[in-house]
Amino acid sequence: MARHRTLKDEGATPPVQQKYDPALFIEEPGKTAVTTLVNVASSELLAPMAAGDQLSLHVDGSIIEVHDPRDQVIGQLEPKITLRLLSLVTTGNEYAAAITAIDDHQVRVIIRETYQHPDNASKVSFPTTGGSVGEGVRPYTRDSVLRYELDEDEDEDGEDGEYGSEEGADEAEGGELFEEEPES
């Protein structure tokens, strides 16, 4: 609503929604990244924009600017992503970008590698982090899931343990009943 009020106050009309490629919004490890822009333009410049609008990336020295369809700068990529993409863009890789979320002060974009130059064949545009456990996720196992060994005192006192009998314990361990062989 605030965006539409800004448009109304300025007397501007909302832009016609442009067609976009839905595949651009599918995240693919190594080929896409979602990020928040830094040094974002004023809310008046952002007001006509909406989620789904396509953007373009332009190298300007040591930064990568993000431009709207009217070629106005709406922000810059984060320094971490900029460092990664600068060498890839200058050696021939191409990228598409689009807005995933926008408000008066923040713009989130998805960036997708659309062409990988042969010189960059062994380089991943957006390396994944954290291995099998995602970033910020801490593995945790409840104590009730773990099975602790019984103390030797409980076994000697003749208590049956968690299976109720020696036969039950043998079944749980091996799946079938068997007799212990005498020690030699």
Side-chain angles (χ1 to χ4, degrees):
M1 293 301 290
R3 188 174 64 113
H4 288 291
R5 274 191 232 111
T6 303
L7 286 171
K8 184 179 177 184
D9 292 344
E10 292 179 8
T13 57
V16 176
Q17 189 70 25
Q18 51 186 305
K19 291 187 176 187
Y20 60 91
D21 180 14
L24 178 62
F25 294 93
I26 299 172
E27 290 188 51
E28 184 180 346
K31 297 284 186 185
T32 60
V34 177
T35 184
T36 302
L37 298 182
V38 296
N39 299 329
V40 179
S42 67
S43 58
E44 290 80 25
L45 187 63
L46 297 178
M49 309 215 54
D53 286 351
Q54 290 194 12
L55 307 170
S56 57
L57 306 179
H58 298 274
V59 176
D60 183 19
S62 63
I63 61 172
I64 297 179
E65 295 177 333
V66 180
H67 291 232
D68 68 3
R70 297 169 296 188
D71 206 33
Q72 297 174 316
V73 178
I74 63 162
Q76 300 170 352
L77 293 183
E78 295 176 318
K80 185 177 179 181
I81 292 179
T82 297
L83 285 173
R84 181 76 189 162
L85 293 186
L86 268 176
S87 65
L88 296 171
V89 169
T90 55
T91 56
N93 277 18
E94 296 176 8
Y95 297 88
I99 297 174
T100 59
I102 187 168
D103 62 28
D104 291 341
H105 309 290
Q106 189 177 38
V107 180
R108 289 192 51 83
V109 298
I110 187 165
I111 305 165
R112 174 178 287 282
E113 177 187 285
T114 56
Y115 172 75
Q116 185 177 50
H117 192 273
D119 291 347
N120 298 324
S122 64
K123 298 177 184 171
V124 177
S125 290
F126 305 104
T128 57
T129 59
S132 63
V133 177
E135 189 174 316
V137 177
R138 198 176 93 210
Y140 174 75
T141 304
R142 294 183 313 225
D143 284 341
S144 63
V145 175
L146 300 175
R147 183 175 148 204
Y148 295 100
E149 292 185 29
L150 298 174
D151 291 325
E152 289 182 29
D153 294 334
E154 290 178 350
D155 289 339
E156 290 175 8
D157 292 341
E159 292 184 18
D160 291 337
E162 68 182 80
Y163 295 108
S165 71
E166 284 186 16
E167 281 184 7
D170 290 341
E171 287 177 11
E173 287 179 15
E176 55 185 6
L177 292 175
F178 59 90
E179 293 184 16
E180 291 185 23
E181 294 182 29
E183 293 182 22
S184 317

